[in-house]
Amino acid sequence: MRISFGDACQRLLNGEVIAVPTETVYGLAASLKHPTAIDRIFAIKGRPSNNPLIIHVANASDVTFYASKLPNGFEALAESFWPGPLTIVVPVDTNIISSNIRAGLPTAAFRIPGNPLCRQLIQEVGPIVMPSANLSGKPSATQAIHVESDFGIDFPVLDGGACQHGLESTILYYTDDRWQIIRLGAISAEAFKPILGYLPEFASHKDEKMPICPGQLYRHYAPKAKLLLTATPESNVIIGFSDRQYPSTAKVFLLGPLSNPEKIAENLYAILRQLDLEEIETAWVDMDFPKSGLWLTIAERLRKAASK
Ligand code: TXA
Ligand code: MG
């Protein structure tokens, strides 16, 4: 159910959960001031309680208020990438950020969304807590219709059209005097080099006892269809690129041109969802693309979507 901006503000202030557009993916939003609404987010999504949520704010000064300490480089990152698809994890005052948001961790994740409608909403109602607006494990929602397909036609959605980036924010975490990427996302690792003076490394999530980004441990972004990432086509259903030739007998789902990784990112989840709408059982994914920049995020999402 599409709702107006005024209705969206009112519902958040009343302690309801609604879906909201951001420039990355749609979010399932509750006001930071309503802990029971935040609990409802976990229930609605079927999200494990040990997977913390991102707090979306309108100003970097809000983060300064909640943080117990700001790591070196925080200001430079915030100035360069906010508003935008960067999430920064910082240690917080655990007396003011409730434990359900943090999943009991001593840190919280923050970002200022680039989508103007979303920022305006936060200016009206204060900080909002949002995970991606999809059932846990499914591809994120990049259009209002994806949210309705997961949560039902009556679920309240503030419709902001299709999301600009189509991939979640990149998440940075400060440890051992360095920023590390704990989730690849819409900003590529290379983009941080001019700001930080080094290329942040991608943290490994091998130690399941000490997750630094709990969400990375779960299966994600997955359609019902089985995705094959083998070197050569093993299905006559293909997920591929508009500027490449495939066998004429194949049914091809086009992500967009290889020359435009931003376009591929924007379309990726919609195509994964389309497979299920068309009841495709198995599809082969053309993984022959560059191994740098945004392509690394695209490859990581496809690998997660294909994993069992
Ligand atoms: O682009 C995005 O980031 C979208 C939009 C709606 O803002 N949100 C999003 O939220 O992708 P979600 O909940 O689907 O993913 C958040 C990720 C999870 O993997 C979670 O484990 C991690 O952020 N996270 C949240 N708080 C954290 C913390 N304190 N420390 C480490 N990781 C954290
Ligand atoms: Mg998510």
Side-chain angles (χ1 to χ4, degrees):
M1 173 179 56
R2 313 295 161 97
I3 58 173
S4 68
F5 182 80
D7 194 8
C9 292
Q10 206 48 58
R11 285 171 187 260
L12 287 170
L13 291 171
N14 289 346
E16 284 182 46
V17 176
I18 63 168
V20 166
T22 86
E23 77 282 22
T24 57
V25 298
Y26 275 76
L28 211 51
S31 158
L32 181 68
K33 293 181 211 121
H34 284 275
T36 46
I38 295 168
D39 281 339
R40 263 200 81 219
I41 290 180
F42 287 90
I44 292 173
K45 258 188 85 102
R47 182 180 179 101
S49 61
N50 66 354
N51 193 2
L53 305 175
I54 299 173
I55 302 170
H56 297 69
V57 296
N59 305 293
S61 58
D62 291 334
V63 183
T64 314
F65 175 75
Y66 296 116
S68 56
K69 182 174 184 281
L70 287 175
N72 280 338
F74 170 85
E75 276 93 1
L77 288 166
E79 244 169 61
S80 306
F81 295 99
W82 282 351
L86 170 65
T87 294
I88 309 180
V89 176
V90 301
V92 287
D93 182 340
T94 53
N95 294 314
I96 46 176
I97 299 293
S98 65
S99 174
N100 56 354
I101 298 172
R102 300 177 278 111
L105 296 171
T107 55
F110 293 90
R111 85 179 188 96
I112 303 180
N115 179 309
L117 189 63
C118 182
R119 263 200 331 278
Q120 205 187 333
L121 191 71
I122 299 168
Q123 267 147 9
E124 295 286 331
V125 305
I128 55 180
V129 174
M130 313 194 253
S132 51
N134 53 281
L135 288 170
S136 243
K138 291 273 140 213
S140 299
T142 56
Q143 300 169 22
I145 197 170
H146 298 161
V147 179
E148 290 167 344
S149 133
D150 278 14
F151 301 109
I153 197 75
D154 292 331
F155 194 82
V157 186
L158 178 63
D159 189 357
C163 299
Q164 180 199 342
H165 292 290
L167 290 175
E168 299 79 358
S169 59
T170 301
I171 308 182
L172 290 182
Y173 176 83
Y174 191 76
T175 182
D176 298 333
D177 299 328
R178 303 278 273 196
W179 289 94
Q180 286 195 346
I181 295 177
I182 57 171
R183 179 179 71 185
L184 292 168
I187 302 177
S188 66
E190 290 89 336
F192 296 109
K193 201 172 171 196
I195 314 302
L196 298 176
Y198 57 90
L199 193 67
E201 274 177 34
F202 183 51
S204 97
H205 300 285
K206 296 268 154 50
D207 185 355
E208 299 201 7
K209 286 197 203 84
M210 278 289 289
I212 43 177
C213 185
Q216 294 296 106
L217 300 176
Y218 298 104
R219 182 164 187 241
H220 256 109
Y221 319 114
K224 286 200 200 91
K226 183 175 184 203
L227 300 183
L228 303 172
L229 310 187
T230 45
T232 49
E234 285 182 14
S235 166
N236 65 347
V237 179
I238 293 178
I239 300 179
F241 304 100
S242 52
D243 41 7
R244 192 168 272 164
Q245 289 297 111
Y246 299 102
S248 58
T249 51
K251 177 177 175 61
V252 187
F253 290 85
L254 293 174
L255 291 166
L258 275 165
S259 55
N260 190 348
E262 284 78 17
K263 196 77 201 159
I264 307 296
E266 191 188 320
N267 292 336
L268 181 63
Y269 294 142
I271 295 286
L272 294 183
R273 284 174 172 270
Q274 190 60 31
L275 296 178
D276 284 350
L277 284 178
E278 298 195 26
E279 298 181 341
I280 302 292
E281 283 176 10
T282 308
W284 177 76
V285 187
D286 184 352
M287 296 291 283
D288 182 12
F289 49 71
K291 301 286 175 278
S292 61
L294 196 55
W295 288 109
L296 289 178
T297 306
I298 294 165
E300 191 261 354
R301 297 299 193 267
L302 284 167
R303 274 196 294 272
K304 278 247 164 72
S307 73
K308 281 281 170 256

